[in-house]
Amino acid sequence: MTLRIATFNLENLDDRPKGAIAFEDRLRVLRPQLRRLRADILCLQEINAHPVTKHGPRLLSGLDRLVEGTELESFHRIVSLNRGGRHPSDLHNLVILSRLEPHSHRQVWHDLVEPCHWRPNHALPPQEQASPAEWDRPVLHAAYPLGDGRQLHVINVHLRAPRAAWLAGQKEPHGRWLSVAGWAEGFFLAAVKQAGQALEVRLLVEEILDGDPDALVAVCGDFNATDREAVLRIVRGDEEDTGNGHLAMRMLVPVERSLPESARFSVIHHGHPVLLDHILVSRPLLGSFLTAELHTETLGDELVSPAGISGPPESYHAPMVAEFNLP
């Protein structure tokens, strides 16, 4: 069975955009991109939702319009929920669309790692007690039966971007920081949140491998980090880092390593190509790996593109696909 797993950050997918770009323009650009993926399982990030009524359910109306009339419209859908677990958040939901019906699914949000507590040194007014530094989003985990008694585990992630977290009294409404010390502490908090979420992803993988050491696992999404940064190392668990060859089967392998180094990028940031989106697979799943694709032909620079003035019709993230031949 040939199976294609893809990940794509759709960059604030919203049919009620705040910028000048018309949503219909986004539909015309994004639909061909999705069609080209030919994905059997598609992990999406940054899907916005809107309430039907003031206190009613929130619908992913932008995503509904995007997949309308396409094969993806009939796919099974798993959506992340807010901290209370009642409905999707207004912004940046995770979604997994799949041709296969999931056997089970869940979201993980401080279920395996408690939030760190921190009392800011530069908050204004001063903060008397430490407060929890919670992650911005959960991760989604879906398990798909393969018909031979085995399961494919897919984890959709969107780690926090390396931008300074808000600190009381240190940042003006339009975004300017009032002191370097305040910004530095906010940046430190952002790094703690990002690394903590990466740890929770790794512990989720450990939980799966404890149940089945030969589990087929794919961790997909926007990690907001390159291959050698700390958060990727936490999730991968390389034997070079653990110093223990007996743990090699627990390592996750980035499939982009099969591509030429010059082609390994999913974002262009001020002229510099960087790979922030990844598909990491367990070694048993790597045995069925065929090829990887990064669709970068139309990728614009997220900082200097003229489309940034009114909002891009596309995404400033390139989609990534991994194809497998599963027995």
Side-chain angles (χ1 to χ4, degrees), residues 201-202 205-206 209-210 212-219 227-228 232-257 279-287:
V201 173
R202 182 66 232 185
V205 172
E206 290 293 298
L209 295 178
D210 286 343
D212 178 8
D214 295 317
L216 306 175
V217 182
V219 182
D227 186 38
R228 292 308 303 171
L232 255 294
R233 293 171 64 182
I234 290 171
V235 177
R236 288 202 321 262
D238 290 1
E239 58 185 295
E240 291 88 348
D241 284 326
T242 64
N244 186 345
H246 294 292
L247 299 176
M249 282 299 291
R250 288 186 170 248
M251 173 184 172
L252 297 180
V253 182
V255 299
E256 68 262 12
R257 290 179 179 175
I279 298 178
L280 314 177
V281 301
S282 61
R283 290 203 181 226
L285 184 55
L286 184 66

Side-chain angles (χ1 to χ4, degrees), residues 9-294:
N9 183 330
L10 288 177
E11 198 99 46
N12 283 308
L13 184 73
D14 198 325
D15 60 343
R16 305 178 194 177
K18 295 181 180 180
I21 189 70
F23 186 66
E24 288 71 20
D25 290 336
R26 296 208 73 189
L27 293 180
R28 286 193 288 271
V29 169
L30 291 173
R31 274 183 183 150
Q33 287 186 286
L34 294 181
R35 189 181 311 118
R36 182 185 175 192
L37 297 176
R38 295 179 285 115
D40 299 293
I41 300 175
L42 175 57
C43 295
L44 299 173
Q45 301 89 41
E46 294 200 21
I47 309 297
N48 295 349
H50 293 286
V52 178
T53 60
K54 185 175 182 180
H55 300 289
R58 285 170 171 79
L59 300 181
L60 307 183
S61 51
L63 180 61
D64 291 338
R65 291 178 60 186
L66 177 61
V67 302
E68 184 179 3
T70 73
E71 186 182 31
L72 295 171
E73 187 176 16
S74 64
F75 274 29
H76 299 279
R77 182 184 297 190
I78 302 169
V79 182
S80 62
L81 302 176
N82 66 356
R83 196 72 179 92
R86 294 185 298 273
H87 51 68
S89 300
D90 292 341
L91 302 174
H92 292 190
N93 294 287
L94 301 169
V95 176
I96 302 177
L97 301 176
S98 62
R99 188 188 312 277
L100 304 177
E101 182 176 1
H103 172 267
S104 62
H105 65 85
R106 61 170 171 161
Q107 74 175 26
V108 178
W109 200 350
H110 290 299
D111 297 281
L112 303 177
V113 178
E114 292 185 7
C116 303
H117 284 69
W118 177 258
R119 185 176 67 82
N121 294 292
H122 296 89
L124 297 173
Q127 189 171 310
E128 297 296 328
Q129 300 293 329
S131 57
E134 295 187 340
W135 326 150
D136 299 328
R137 288 172 290 271
V139 300
L140 281 184
H141 169 214
Y144 298 93
L146 297 178
D148 59 354
R150 305 189 74 187
Q151 294 188 100
L152 170 66
H153 297 269
V154 176
I155 300 171
N156 186 3
V157 309
H158 184 190
L159 302 189
R160 183 186 174 92
R163 299 190 189 96
W166 179 83
L167 203 64
Q170 285 289 348
K171 191 175 183 181
E172 295 179 339
H174 60 270
R176 187 177 68 173
W177 287 87
L178 300 179
S179 72
V180 174
W183 167 84
E185 189 165 9
F187 196 81
F188 162 79
L189 285 172
V192 169
K193 290 170 179 268
Q194 189 190 46
Q197 192 178 10
L199 174 60
E200 188 153 53
V201 173
R202 182 66 232 185
L203 295 186
L204 174 57
V205 172
E206 290 293 298
E207 186 179 277
I208 294 169
L209 295 178
D210 286 343
D212 178 8
D214 295 317
L216 306 175
V217 182
V219 182
C220 316
D222 178 3
F223 289 75
N224 272 306
T226 58
D227 186 38
R228 292 308 303 171
E229 291 186 72
V231 294
L232 255 294
R233 293 171 64 182
I234 290 171
V235 177
R236 288 202 321 262
D238 290 1
E239 58 185 295
E240 291 88 348
D241 284 326
T242 64
N244 186 345
H246 294 292
L247 299 176
M249 282 299 291
R250 288 186 170 248
M251 173 184 172
L252 297 180
V253 182
V255 299
E256 68 262 12
R257 290 179 179 175
S258 66
L259 298 172
E261 192 166 352
S262 60
R264 297 179 201 169
F265 65 96
S266 62
V267 172
I268 301 175
H269 183 83
H270 216 291
H272 299 285
V274 290
L275 186 59
L276 304 182
D277 304 84
H278 305 268
I279 298 178
L280 314 177
V281 301
S282 61
R283 290 203 181 226
L285 184 55
L286 184 66
S288 299
F289 174 66
L290 294 176
T291 185
E293 303 169 11
L294 274 160

